[in-house]
């Protein structure tokens, strides 16, 4: 599936007898497949919609809802830090609501989004969070606790330089330029 932000995600449509729990399905699928193949969403259906030709009607499949994501009921962020972290998660994951008990990877997070999350935490909360912390504490409340334990370190962005017709080069860059000119390089 494709969401509005052009990020694709895996969604499993499940037909079964009785009530199926997304967390239980996720554990089972996770034991059978690599983590990158575990669906972010599980949607329970009474029956799979079919086209007149007997194929799966993809347009007839419902969009996943929040309840299909993690299997956990929503718990609002309890502290100011959790609330700010929830805003960052919402932005990085492209979802409308994140709770204190939510799991980053069950909401559609992956290693690239974890890198984006660490960068945003550094920029907005002034905490240089190691990437492994997101993997070790993937629930929002756990990650907020890790952030609270970290020392604050001021985020320093690289200043944009003024517009010029030319810029000075280093001696290594100058040497490369001269070697390229001597050898007749075309680029």
């Amino acid at each position: 599936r494709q969401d509005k932000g052009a990020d694709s995600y895996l969604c499993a449509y499940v037909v079964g007898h009785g009530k199926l729990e997304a967390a239980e399905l996720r554990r089972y699928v996770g034991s059978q497949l690599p983590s990158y193949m575990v669906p972010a969403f599980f949607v329970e259906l009474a029956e799979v919609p079919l086209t007149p030709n007997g194929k799966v009607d993809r347009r007839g499949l419902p969009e996943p809802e929040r309840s299909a994501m993690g299997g956990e009921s929503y718990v609002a962020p309890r502290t100011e830090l959790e609330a700010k972290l929830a805003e960052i998660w919402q932005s990085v994951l492209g979802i409308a609501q994140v709770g204190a008990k939510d799991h980053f990877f069950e909401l559609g997070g992956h290693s690239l989004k974890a890198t984006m999350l660490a960068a945003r935490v550094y920029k907005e909360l002034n905490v240089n969070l190691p990437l492994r912390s997101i993997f070790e504490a993937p629930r929002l409340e756990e990650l907020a606790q890790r952030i609270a334990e970290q020392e604050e370190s001021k985020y320093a962005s690289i200043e944009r330089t003024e517009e010029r017709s030319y810029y000075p080069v280093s001696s290594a860059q100058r040497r490369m330029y001269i070697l390229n000119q001597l050898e007749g390089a075309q680029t």
Side-chain angles (χ1 to χ4, degrees):
R1 285 247 183 209
Q2 242 7 66
D3 71 6
K4 296 171 192 86
D7 277 340
S8 50
Y9 57 86
L10 290 177
C11 179
Y13 293 93
V14 182
V15 177
H17 303 290
K19 182 70 178 151
L20 300 170
E21 293 293 326
E24 187 178 322
L25 286 170
R26 186 169 284 106
R27 274 193 296 278
Y28 174 73
V29 172
S31 70
Q32 305 295 313
L33 296 172
S35 61
Y36 65 89
M37 292 181 72
V38 176
F41 305 94
F42 289 87
V43 178
E44 190 173 351
L45 300 174
E47 60 182 36
V48 176
L50 301 175
T51 65
N53 297 339
K55 296 181 180 178
V56 175
D57 182 7
R58 291 177 185 246
R59 289 187 214 138
L61 294 171
E63 285 294 318
E65 298 174 11
R66 176 169 178 76
S67 61
M69 287 187 224
E72 297 274 345
S73 57
Y74 177 74
V75 175
R78 297 168 295 237
T79 65
E80 190 177 323
L81 178 58
E82 283 184 1
K84 183 63 181 164
L85 190 56
E87 288 175 24
I88 295 171
W89 279 32
Q90 289 167 335
S91 175
V92 169
L93 296 172
I95 56 178
Q97 187 180 51
V98 175
K101 301 281 184 189
D102 285 337
H103 191 286
F104 183 75
F105 299 103
E106 290 176 2
L107 293 178
H110 47 71
S111 58
L112 182 59
K113 288 190 178 193
T115 303
M116 293 167 57
L117 175 64
R120 291 280 303 275
V121 165
Y122 185 35
K123 185 175 184 177
E124 296 182 27
L125 301 177
N126 292 320
V127 174
N128 194 358
L129 184 69
L131 190 58
R132 80 176 176 292
S133 294
I134 299 169
F135 290 91
E136 293 171 355
R139 295 205 181 277
L140 187 124
E141 64 184 354
E142 296 168 349
L143 193 59
Q145 186 175 359
R146 290 254 178 130
I147 290 169
E149 293 168 357
Q150 294 279 330
E151 284 186 34
E152 196 170 300
S153 63
K154 189 70 177 152
Y155 176 77
S157 63
I158 298 173
E159 295 293 323
R160 188 179 189 112
T161 187
E162 73 276 356
E163 194 71 33
R164 297 183 187 175
S165 57
Y166 68 91
Y167 298 92
V169 295
S170 69
S171 60
Q173 291 170 321
R174 190 175 307 126
R175 193 168 40 251
M176 286 176 59
Y177 176 76
I178 292 170
L179 286 173
N180 281 328
Q181 295 302 310
L182 291 174
E183 295 174 4
Q186 296 169 357
T187 57

